[in-house]
Amino acid sequence: MRAVVLLGLLHGAFCQNVFSWDNGASDTRQVQPIECLPDPTSCGCCLMQKKLQRMEWLFNKTVEEISKNLTNSKMALNDMRASRSAFSVALDRADGGGCFGPFPDDRPVPYRHVFLNLGAGYSAATGGFTVPRSGVYSLAATVYSAYGALGTGAYLAVNGLAASALRERESRDREDSATLVVSVKLKAGDRVAVVLPKGFVVCDDSSHLNTFTGFLLYPC
């Protein structure tokens, strides 16, 4: 700041004001070249004027570059915020416990208890997650049942097609559980759900033993 003030004073004291500072704002005007007079007494002032003119151009150019970088940084930050997507839900049986299934056909598991729904991609009405932005996602599901011989299981479906399955059937006790964690590349608009196959069952209570979680690792 002191340097800028000193340059302004020198310019006003020794030379004519042939250009103006614009309070630090970017100036894209073409700076008119200064022509030195043949009078030897004006040579020093003329050289000073040229140096000041050059410094003004460099200053304005630097401010312009800083302004561009700041704008790009703000855009990148806004884009990052807009791309955030994460959800975590559970089977809602908080009213005292209960089971979902078994059924004669495959059915999506209706996770009604929502822990997190950042980006509003998950729908509690359908039990499915609609991908808001193309990228690589981490998806995880845990199923639990205390139904005995039927066991428990499910599969992760993308656009209605099975992508990966999880199941357990242990006859030595009544409790069965399984967990699945995968990373998959999804496109915007894809629908992801956990589907209960026919003949299987999941059971829960207020402990939220059946969960479905997903989040965007990075867009692509």
Side-chain angles (χ1 to χ4, degrees):
M1 176 61 74
R2 292 180 178 178
V4 173
V5 173
L6 178 59
L7 290 173
L9 292 174
L10 289 173
H11 179 267
F14 296 104
C15 310
Q16 293 181 348
N17 187 15
V18 296
F19 62 90
S20 62
W21 299 88
D22 57 355
N23 297 324
S26 176
D27 189 357
T28 57
R29 296 173 300 171
Q30 293 293 329
V31 179
Q32 296 298 325
I34 297 175
E35 296 182 2
C36 292
L37 300 175
D39 183 5
T41 60
S42 67
C43 183
C45 180
C46 182
L47 292 176
M48 178 64 73
Q49 239 179 347
K50 284 188 173 182
K51 290 181 179 180
L52 289 173
Q53 188 179 58
R54 173 66 177 171
M55 293 185 69
E56 180 192 18
W57 180 84
L58 291 173
F59 176 79
N60 290 335
K61 190 68 175 177
T62 301
V63 171
E64 183 180 356
E65 290 299 322
I66 292 175
S67 179
K68 287 182 179 179
N69 291 335
L70 180 60
T71 300
N72 291 337
S73 298
K74 288 181 178 179
M75 291 177 61
L77 180 60
N78 291 335
D79 186 61
M80 184 182 301
R81 288 173 175 171
S83 68
R84 292 183 300 179
S85 178
F87 70 95
S88 184
V89 295
L91 195 62
D92 190 2
R93 289 292 183 268
D95 55 354
C99 295
F100 181 74
F103 300 107
D105 55 0
D106 295 0
R107 297 190 184 185
V109 180
Y111 299 97
R112 299 286 190 256
H113 186 86
V114 179
F115 297 108
L116 174 70
N117 192 14
L118 187 61
Y122 177 78
S123 171
T126 64
F129 171 68
T130 302
V131 178
R133 182 170 184 174
S134 299
V136 175
Y137 286 76
S138 175
L139 300 170
T142 295
V143 293
Y144 169 85
S145 172
Y147 209 84
L150 288 179
T152 189
Y155 62 87
L156 189 68
V158 178
N159 296 327
L161 300 177
S164 187
L166 63 162
R167 64 185 59 185
E168 184 189 29
R169 180 175 293 171
E170 175 56 66
S171 60
R172 290 176 295 181
D173 58 37
R174 291 180 56 84
E175 294 184 304
D176 297 289
S177 65
T179 296
L180 166 73
V181 179
V182 294
S183 295
V184 292
K185 186 177 181 180
L186 301 172
K187 297 182 296 182
D190 285 348
R191 293 194 73 256
V192 183
V194 175
V195 179
L196 184 72
K198 63 179 181 179
F200 283 83
V201 62
V202 291
C203 300
D204 214 327
D205 54 25
S206 59
S207 298
H208 302 303
L209 302 171
N210 291 270
T211 58
F212 180 29
T213 299
F215 58 88
L216 174 65
L217 290 172
Y218 57 87
C220 62

